[in-house]
Amino acid sequence: MNRIDKTFEDLKLKGEKALVGFVTAGDPNIPDSLKIITSMCEAGMDILELGVPFSDPTADGPVIQRSSARALEQGVNLKDVLEMAQTIREHFSIPIILFSYYNPIHAYGIEPFYRDAVTAGADGVLVVDLPPEESDEMTSCELSKDLPLIRLFAPTTPVERMAKIAESASGFLYLVSKTGVTGSDGLDTKEIGTNTESLRSVTQVPICVGFGISTAEDVAAVASVADGVVIGSAFERMIEENLDNPGLPDIIGKKTREYKKATK
Amino acid sequence: MNTNQDYNQFVSGIYPDSRGHFGPFGGRYIAETLMPAILELEAAYTRFSSDPGFKEELNSLLKKYVGRPTPLFYAKRLSDHIGGASIYLKREDLTHTGAHKINNTLGQTLLASWMGKNKLIAETGAGQHGVATATTAALFGMECKIFMGVEDIQRQAPNVKRMKLLGAEVIPVESGTGTLKDAMNEAMRYWVGEVRDTFYVIGSVAGPHPYPMMVRDFQKIIGIEAREQIMEEAGRLPDMLIACVGGGSNAMGLFNAFADDAVEMVGVEAAGKGIETGKHAATLGHGSIGVLHGSKSYVLQDEYGQIKEAHSISAGLDYPGVGPEHALLKECKRARYVSVEDTQALEAFQTLCSLEGIIPALESSHAMACAMVEAQKSSKEKIILVNLSGRGDKDLDIVFSELNI
């Protein structure tokens, strides 16, 4: 069984939901980024989303835009991100999802990307700006079977479309909590509940909800309806506020434990 | 792609296909949140654009509000001065608001109104598309927000004031390089949040399908008129078409009507401070294939797929992407793309001012510079038709400072 499926099965047995943490790889630099991720893994995070920095992140709010810019200032590219994934894999069995815009993968080359991502020990790939209408260019690659494309669903996705997209989905489904970019305010847990139920009516694949979730209370509320909760901008905000603080990995670790507790 | 058969296929007007692809280019590379809105837009455009009532309303406004048809002018003094081919100018600078941009914003605003949407957003670089959108928003009584990079706000100050005067809210974009690409990023981010009741008026033949097709269709009036006018004036088709290319809407609007004709097409990109300096916006000439702002086309990028900063004296050409249909025209070798430096564009600007009494936009000055070179190489019997896409009033501050006037 692959690492993603095993994670959800183990969590189900324990009666817990998945805590999915997103960080931009290489923010503020590669060594510190690895320390932060290590701290998150040791604190009980269930799934890692490793963000590939991109110059034009159109689906992201200011916090992740700035984190991406900091990583790019360090010259971090997709090759570095794959090397980071490999380093993490050497120490942890946590599922690693590569989270990217399409252009860096396109520039790397689809085949080389799959080959190197699988070798590095990644478990899935999520491409923000690659809807099912365009994803053939990735899924037609033979190697893509070893690295499922994590499908995105939005509050604007009609249920018939949800069913069609879910047909070919594996790993888990990423349900965007609201219309808007990452890190925007105003979580409507009632709407999330309704959307999660709609999606669940058409699939057996686990559902993780992300965008705009920042407090332990948010996590608990979302965890009560979904199979997993994604935190991104909230972690990046902590990184940004503690760029010169040597205690940053511990701060992130402490917060991760707090979030994890809320998924139990 | 380079076979004669594909060339013929292109001519027969089969692009884009039902998925919005222009051969290997185009498509819809966008966040899932926007997909339903894009599909709705495509369905609405397909339905209304063939509705006789819609066409009648659009044509009437193009005539009575925009001032179409725009004239085709034989630039005799310029042609004589160069001593080569005859140069004809398609005077899009004479439209209401002073550039071809309004052909498209009028079409999209009318479409928004037929779709029952009354909030418009748009990105702008030079400010021409922003002004044109603010104008048609006022005409239809719609709410309008224009996203504009802080760098462009500074260099196109008069247009910012015009947009405000027309009732639009101008939202300064500080992220990235503060230019057109960042304004487009920010407009897309805003749209993701407000997609349910907001219509995004994209200003060029770029962006996700159906925009490249829709904007081309709204702009093809330029070529349709120019083709009729040159037939009437010269009794034959031109030998060459020349238009500047940033995103590529004025060029596509001119080229489209001549697709089946034996007429050479030349797109002129901005070479900025010189290709060798890296400070240019020659996306087709010196970029590579990638995905930016929702479609696959040529982009300026590094080896890792990070988008590079473009540079041009002309804000409207200062864009690291280009419309996917131009990428196809390049691939099929149906059109040829060249580039012109800032200094050459400035010279052409002055030449047109002094010889013809026409102040061209700096964007259009790139096309003029190319036309002068091509005319010189050609015999007197040849005809070159240039799209004078806009007037230069908005650029006067830059020109004065560059020329120390």
Side-chain angles (χ1 to χ4, degrees):
Chain A
M1 189 182 286
N2 69 53
R3 279 183 286 260
I4 301 175
D5 294 349
K6 182 160 184 342
T7 297
F8 281 102
E9 199 175 272
D10 290 351
L11 286 166
K12 204 170 180 182
L13 290 171
K14 287 194 275 182
E16 292 176 17
K17 301 300 174 66
L19 174 67
V20 184
F22 167 95
V23 284
T24 301
D27 171 31
N29 55 60
I30 291 175
D32 285 348
S33 186
L34 283 169
K35 278 184 206 157
I36 290 165
I37 293 163
T38 300
S39 177
M40 293 166 98
C41 292
E42 286 170 347
M45 181 170 68
D46 300 300
I47 295 173
L48 169 67
E49 277 185 7
L50 197 54
V52 179
F54 182 50
S55 54
D56 295 76
T58 50
D60 285 299
V63 175
I64 293 183
Q65 285 174 43
R66 289 194 296 266
S67 81
S68 212
R70 283 192 297 272
L72 288 175
E73 269 168 37
Q74 300 288 319
V76 177
N77 58 54
L78 182 51
K79 192 165 167 284
D80 300 316
V81 179
L82 293 171
E83 280 171 18
M84 284 179 68
Q86 185 146 20
T87 308
I88 298 159
R89 176 58 65 235
E90 282 161 14
H91 297 94
F92 299 98
S93 62
I94 189 169
I96 301 172
I97 311 298
L98 299 165
F99 190 105
S100 185
Y101 286 83
Y102 188 47
N103 204 47
I105 295 175
H106 183 266
Y108 196 92
I110 306 296
E111 283 229 21
F113 166 75
Y114 274 117
R115 190 191 60 218
D116 294 352
V118 170
T119 307
D123 302 283
V125 55
L126 192 158
V127 188
V128 194
D129 53 353
L130 195 74
E133 281 79 357
E134 304 294 345
S135 63
D136 287 3
E137 12 188 319
M138 285 195 70
T139 53
S140 62
C141 176
E142 194 58 31
L143 295 167
S144 69
K145 290 174 184 62
D146 300 327
L147 199 80
L149 197 57
I150 304 299
R151 300 292 186 173
L152 280 153
F153 299 81
T156 49
T157 311
V159 72
E160 315 80 65
R161 184 174 163 85
M162 283 183 171
K164 207 167 150 245
I165 301 174
E167 253 173 43
S168 60
S170 60
F172 64 88
L173 311 182
Y174 192 124
L175 175 63
V176 175
S177 69
K178 61 182 147 191
T179 59
V181 291
T182 53
S184 39
D185 300 329
L187 206 62
D188 184 342
T189 43
K190 198 166 160 237
E191 196 197 351
I192 293 171
T194 313
N195 292 334
T196 312
E197 284 319 304
S198 303
L199 185 51
R200 209 181 285 289
S201 71
V202 300
T203 185
Q204 305 282 321
V205 183
I207 300 166
C208 295
V209 176
F211 278 40
I213 300 168
S214 62
T215 66
E217 291 73 37
D218 294 343
V219 173
V222 174
S224 69
V225 293
D227 304 302
V229 184
V230 189
I231 311 264
S233 297
F235 282 127
E236 287 297 345
R237 207 171 285 123
M238 281 176 252
I239 293 173
E240 185 166 72
E241 284 165 3
N242 292 281
L243 285 173
D244 300 319
N245 185 346
L248 175 58
D250 294 335
I251 293 171
I252 300 274
K254 189 168 165 243
K255 199 70 188 176
T256 306
R257 265 183 284 276
E258 203 181 299
Y259 288 141
K260 182 56 210 170
K261 213 174 142 194
T263 67
K264 291 184 181 175
Chain B
M1 289 307 307
N2 298 333
T3 65
N4 196 41
Q5 194 183 354
D6 279 337
Y7 172 98
N8 288 331
Q9 275 178 355
F10 175 79
V11 174
S12 66
I14 59 163
Y15 298 110
D17 65 17
S18 61
R19 293 169 60 210
H21 288 214
F22 296 87
F25 306 107
R28 290 169 288 211
Y29 296 84
I30 50 170
E32 172 60 23
T33 309
L34 296 177
M35 265 318 283
I38 282 288
L39 295 171
E40 181 200 353
L41 174 63
E42 187 191 348
Y45 175 67
T46 307
R47 186 170 144 217
F48 296 139
S49 61
S50 56
D51 186 301
F54 182 91
K55 284 199 262 192
E56 197 186 307
E57 199 175 342
L58 180 60
N59 287 336
S60 165
L61 285 166
L62 282 171
K63 186 175 167 192
K64 293 172 187 163
Y65 188 71
V66 176
R68 303 208 72 92
T70 57
L72 182 74
F73 176 70
Y74 171 44
K76 187 173 184 306
R77 293 195 69 219
L78 177 67
S79 304
D80 289 349
H81 172 75
I82 292 166
S86 297
I87 299 174
Y88 284 80
L89 307 176
K90 179 59 176 166
R91 299 291 307 273
E92 291 300 296
D93 60 316
L94 293 177
T95 56
H96 177 44
T97 74
H100 73 290
K101 293 288 184 186
I102 197 159
N103 302 328
N104 168 48
T105 65
L106 186 65
Q108 289 196 46
T109 306
L110 184 64
L111 181 60
S113 131
W114 277 57
M115 288 172 76
K117 306 212 174 199
N118 65 353
K119 289 181 185 169
L120 303 182
I121 57 166
E123 82 292 338
T124 198
Q128 291 305 94
H129 174 59
V131 167
T133 307
T135 299
T136 49
L139 177 67
F140 281 79
M142 293 187 188
E143 206 179 286
C144 182
K145 287 186 168 68
I146 305 291
F147 294 83
M148 189 170 187
V150 286
E151 170 85 5
D152 287 338
I153 285 181
Q154 207 166 16
R155 57 180 170 174
Q156 304 286 339
N159 270 345
V160 176
K161 287 180 184 161
R162 285 167 83 193
M163 287 184 270
K164 289 180 178 166
L165 206 54
L166 292 160
E169 185 187 345
V170 179
I171 299 173
V173 177
E174 289 181 21
S175 60
T177 54
T179 60
L180 180 55
K181 96 175 161 80
D182 308 292
M184 200 152 171
N185 287 343
E186 210 54 41
M188 287 178 95
R189 288 180 189 121
Y190 179 88
W191 198 33
V192 171
E194 308 294 329
V195 64
R196 288 186 172 110
D197 64 352
T198 300
F199 188 106
Y200 181 11
V201 183
I202 292 184
S204 196
V205 285
H209 177 67
Y211 285 100
M213 167 182 80
M214 185 166 75
V215 177
R216 172 198 71 194
D217 291 353
F218 287 137
Q219 292 293 1
K220 69 184 179 193
I221 183 83
I222 301 172
I224 293 171
E225 287 176 6
R227 197 175 184 284
E228 279 173 17
Q229 290 164 326
I230 195 76
M231 289 304 286
E232 195 172 315
E233 185 112 352
R236 68 173 183 91
L237 290 169
D239 298 284
M240 185 184 284
L241 306 173
I242 300 180
C244 64
V245 177
S249 71
N250 89 77
M252 199 49 72
L254 177 67
F255 292 175
N256 193 261
F258 295 87
D260 290 330
D261 302 321
V263 174
E264 194 181 351
M265 298 172 177
V266 183
V268 186
E269 299 189 299
K273 290 183 189 298
I275 299 297
E276 71 289 350
T277 65
K279 291 184 182 305
H280 64 82
T283 311
L284 287 160
H286 299 272
S288 52
I289 297 169
V291 171
L292 176 67
H293 296 146
S295 60
K296 188 185 277 185
S297 183
Y298 277 77
V299 292
L300 296 177
Q301 59 184 336
D302 69 14
E303 59 181 308
Y304 301 110
Q306 307 298 344
I307 307 304
K308 286 204 269 193
E309 193 177 340
H311 173 89
S312 171
I313 191 172
S314 143
L317 302 183
D318 200 349
Y319 181 59
V322 67
E325 194 164 3
H326 282 294
L328 179 67
L329 290 176
K330 173 189 156 84
E331 210 68 28
C332 296
K333 296 188 163 57
R334 178 64 189 92
R336 174 160 72 84
Y337 295 89
V338 299
S339 57
V340 156
E341 293 183 11
D342 290 350
T343 48
Q344 297 168 280
L346 274 168
E347 269 173 45
F349 176 98
Q350 290 168 277
T351 307
L352 198 65
C353 286
S354 61
L355 288 181
E356 298 289 355
I358 295 172
I359 302 176
L362 282 174
E363 290 78 11
S364 321
S365 301
H366 285 72
M368 288 311 307
C370 172
M372 292 178 199
V373 172
E374 291 293 339
Q376 198 154 33
K377 288 194 285 190
S378 310
S379 64
K380 289 199 179 208
E381 300 74 48
K382 299 267 178 178
I383 296 176
I384 295 177
L385 199 162
V386 186
N387 196 3
L388 194 69
S389 55
R391 70 175 81 127
D393 307 46
K394 69 184 174 63
D395 296 315
L396 292 180
D397 285 349
I398 299 167
V399 173
F400 293 160
S401 117
E402 290 287 330
L403 302 178
N404 292 317
I405 295 175

